Amino acid sequence: MGNCRSTSRVLPGKTYVPDLEWKIHDFSSLLETGAKTATSGRFHCSGYEWYLNVSPMHEKPGAGTPYVALCLMLSREKLKRDHTVHAVFELSIYNQSKGMYCGCQANYNFDIKNNYSKKECLIPLQELLKSSAFLVDDSCVFGVEILKIDVPSPEKKAVVVYQKTTTVQNLFVHNKGFIKGTYIWPMDNFPELESKHFVRSPTFEVGGHKWYIGMYPRGDKFTTDSLSLYLYLDASKKLPALESKKVAVMTLSILDQKNGKHLTRTAGLWVCANGWGWANFLGLEKLKDPSGGYVVGSNCVIKADLTLVGSSAEGQI
């Protein structure tokens, strides 16, 4: 095994109780989706909400072969603009034959603009696919343990990392029959909408569930100079817990009505328990540039492409 950064320490196999134990079933189907990343559902540790992110085909510089890489994501919901969280953590993959985790220790300063840690390469993809220890019945298990949290600003204090039970999550990827849907949201009154803090599209249906696009015309609380766009699962109808956790790949686009140079951003696999998108989708200056075609007169068109590829559930592995 190797790692992407020389500052990380490769750990020998060890047994420990992770904060999150994440099993990806049908790993080969995950590769077939073509998604560059997959993100776990949220888990809690020491007053913060976290996610684990896997890149199954990460391009490691100079390696010549793709690696399976992990990174840790801190939810920005409880972060303030001057809030920095320094975390020390271990990212690992589970050796199912020896009953121990193998990985590396890393650290990162999380803030409102940098809430993804650096990617840590764990194992070459081809080595994983041939392994009878890390990949069993086409399933592999990843783990993360948060060892230490410091808040240099503004509180300047250490956060106690309490021992607690492990959050166990299962990601199931379909091997066929992906459900796809597209929705186009034409707005013919965009200048009027700019004065609003938040605007939502009409709901649309994909896979038997209602969805909508959420737009912050002047940016949400994480930005001040960009249009923010998100896709949300409409929770106006209460859904059973397991049914609400679909797994999707999503693309949002702003259509260029003059030149056909549409701006498109694609998210990897994500668990649809909440919204997902981009605070800095498009700078306001570029959005309003008259030479571009994102806003023509009072017209702006946003497009959402959604593919449901599986489901996620918490419980025993």
Side-chain angles (χ1 to χ4, degrees):
M1 286 193 183
N3 62 314
C4 291
R5 299 187 301 151
S6 59
T7 54
S8 295
R9 177 171 58 88
V10 176
L11 297 176
K14 57 181 289 188
T15 57
Y16 69 86
V17 179
D19 292 289
L20 173 70
E21 195 165 69
W22 188 30
K23 184 171 186 176
I24 298 181
H25 302 258
D26 306 309
F27 187 78
S28 59
S29 296
L30 171 63
L31 299 177
E32 290 172 6
T33 67
K36 293 183 178 181
T37 63
T39 303
S40 73
R42 72 179 68 184
F43 65 98
H44 300 267
C45 180
S46 300
Y48 293 96
E49 294 177 345
W50 309 81
Y51 300 84
L52 184 58
N53 181 281
V54 60
S55 299
M57 296 175 283
H58 178 65
E59 298 284 336
K60 180 180 179 181
T65 182
Y67 268 70
V68 177
L70 294 181
C71 76
L72 182 63
M73 173 187 170
L74 173 60
S75 172
R76 296 181 296 188
E77 291 302 321
K78 295 185 179 181
L79 290 179
K80 300 177 182 178
R81 291 193 176 278
D82 56 353
H83 201 162
T84 301
V85 176
H86 177 75
V88 180
F89 49 91
E90 292 181 3
L91 301 172
S92 55
I93 185 171
Y94 188 61
N95 185 319
Q96 300 181 58
S97 295
K98 296 183 178 180
M100 60 180 58
Y101 285 91
C102 302
C104 61
Q105 185 178 113
N107 65 86
Y108 192 73
N109 289 322
F110 296 91
D111 59 42
I112 204 165
K113 292 185 177 180
N114 303 284
N115 63 324
Y116 284 84
S117 72
K118 301 296 183 182
K119 293 182 179 179
E120 307 293 341
C121 296
L122 296 187
I123 185 172
L125 175 60
Q126 291 305 314
E127 182 178 328
L128 173 62
L129 294 177
K130 295 176 183 178
S131 172
S132 59
F134 295 108
L135 189 67
V136 177
D137 295 328
D138 200 23
S139 299
C140 55
V141 181
F142 298 103
V144 56
E145 182 182 22
I146 299 174
L147 304 173
K148 182 181 180 183
I149 298 175
D150 292 305
V151 185
S153 63
E155 292 87 353
K156 296 182 179 180
K157 65 179 182 180
V159 176
V160 177
V161 179
Y162 297 100
Q163 283 198 330
K164 58 182 182 57
T165 57
T166 299
T167 298
V168 176
Q169 296 180 7
N170 293 269
L171 173 64
F172 303 92
V173 184
H174 300 153
N175 56 18
K176 61 180 179 178
F178 295 160
I179 300 173
K180 299 183 178 182
T182 295
Y183 176 73
I184 296 178
W185 181 22
M187 291 169 276
D188 58 7
N189 60 338
F190 189 77
E192 297 176 22
L193 300 178
E194 282 186 289
S195 63
K196 300 180 182 296
H197 174 63
F198 177 76
V199 182
R200 58 176 286 173
S201 74
T203 57
F204 59 96
E205 185 173 327
V206 177
H209 291 267
K210 301 289 186 179
W211 312 81
Y212 65 91
I213 301 168
M215 178 179 71
Y216 296 83
R218 292 173 286 114
D220 60 12
K221 64 181 180 180
F222 306 120
T223 183
T224 57
D225 57 359
S226 297
L227 178 80
S228 303
L229 281 182
Y230 298 89
L231 182 69
Y232 295 94
L233 178 66
D234 191 343
S236 58
K237 288 186 176 181
K238 295 298 182 181
L239 300 171
L242 294 182
E243 285 297 314
S244 67
K245 294 185 178 179
K246 300 297 183 183
V247 174
V249 177
M250 175 265 292
T251 295
L252 291 178
S253 306
I254 295 183
L255 303 189
D256 183 338
Q257 302 171 68
K258 287 184 178 179
N259 313 301
K261 297 179 179 179
H262 310 317
L263 175 63
T264 297
R265 298 188 185 278
T266 300
L269 270 69
W270 58 286
V271 179
C272 307
N274 53 346
W276 203 264
W278 297 267
N280 300 288
F281 189 89
L282 176 62
L284 296 180
E285 183 177 348
K286 189 172 183 180
L287 173 69
K288 300 175 183 179
D289 186 347
S291 65
Y294 299 125
V295 178
V296 178
S298 60
N299 296 311
C300 180
V301 182
I302 295 176
K303 178 185 176 186
D305 293 287
L306 182 66
T307 303
L308 301 182
V309 301
S311 61
S312 176
E314 293 191 8
Q316 296 295 320
I317 289 184

